[in-house]
């Protein structure tokens, strides 16, 4: 079995990756990282550097993993769900942004589509808030 995590270089992405690594260890699974771009204009060398940073982190975590990089034209939600279906995932992990009370009424469109279309349970995590 495998765990699929959607990763983008943000605090939410880091929280999702941390949770996915913990779940991978707990379940003795393989981790599939779906690396998405933050914007359509991301520099390819920057994207490769981000992928290398994820590889280093996962090598240090000593878990089995694969990294899949999305193309600019790929739909993030659809790609995560398709990857989960392809590998028979037991869990999808995603990061969520903190929202205002009004914003909580509307979940982000990618998160909502993943939650509704996922073929397995979805773990949604938020980054830890800094102490004020």
């Amino acid at each position: 079995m495998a765990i699929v995590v959607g990763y983008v270089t943000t605090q939410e992405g880091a929280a999702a990756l941390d949770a996915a690594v913990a779940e991978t260890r707990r379940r003795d699974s393989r981790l599939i990282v779906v690396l998405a771009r933050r914007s359509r204009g991301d520099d390819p060398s920057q994207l490769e550097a981000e992928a290398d940073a994820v590889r280093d982190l996962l090598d240090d975590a000593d878990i089995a993993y694969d990294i899949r990089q999305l193309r600019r034209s790929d739909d993030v939600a659809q790609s995560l769900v398709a990857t989960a279906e392809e590998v028979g995932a037991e869990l999808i992990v995603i990061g969520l942004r903190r929202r205002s009370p009004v914003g909580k009424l509307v979940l982000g469109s990618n998160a909502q589509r993943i939650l509704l279309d996922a073929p397995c349970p979805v773990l949604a995590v938020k980054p830890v808030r800094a102490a004020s």
Side-chain angles (χ1 to χ4, degrees), residues 34-36 40 69-79:
V34 178
L35 184 60
R40 301 222 181 263
Q69 291 190 35
L70 297 183
R71 297 179 307 246
R72 284 183 205 169
S73 60
D74 290 339
D75 178 276
V76 174
Q78 183 179 351
S79 296

Side-chain angles (χ1 to χ4, degrees), residues 78-96:
Q78 183 179 351
S79 296
L80 276 171
V81 170
T83 299
E85 289 171 343
E86 175 191 330
V87 301
E90 59 186 306
L91 182 70
I92 296 173
V93 183
I94 59 173
L96 296 179

Side-chain angles (χ1 to χ4, degrees), residues 12-13 28 37 40 68 109 114 116 118:
E12 295 80 13
D28 193 26
R37 298 173 179 204
R40 301 222 181 263
R68 299 180 181 193
S109 62
I114 293 164
L116 293 173

Side-chain angles (χ1 to χ4, degrees), residues 4-16:
V4 174
V5 60
Y7 179 78
V8 63
T9 309
T10 61
Q11 290 179 344
E12 295 80 13

Side-chain angles (χ1 to χ4, degrees), residues 17-59:
L17 189 60
D18 289 346
V21 167
E23 285 295 323
T24 299
R25 283 188 177 130
R26 189 174 73 79
R27 297 169 186 245
D28 193 26
S29 294
R30 177 173 203 81
L31 181 61
I32 311 298
V33 179
V34 178
L35 184 60
R37 298 173 179 204
R38 272 192 288 188
S39 67
R40 301 222 181 263
D42 286 343
D43 176 18
S45 62
Q46 179 186 355
L47 292 172
E48 195 52 43
E50 291 172 358
D52 288 342
V54 171
R55 282 186 197 93
D56 290 345
L57 188 145
L58 296 176
D59 286 342

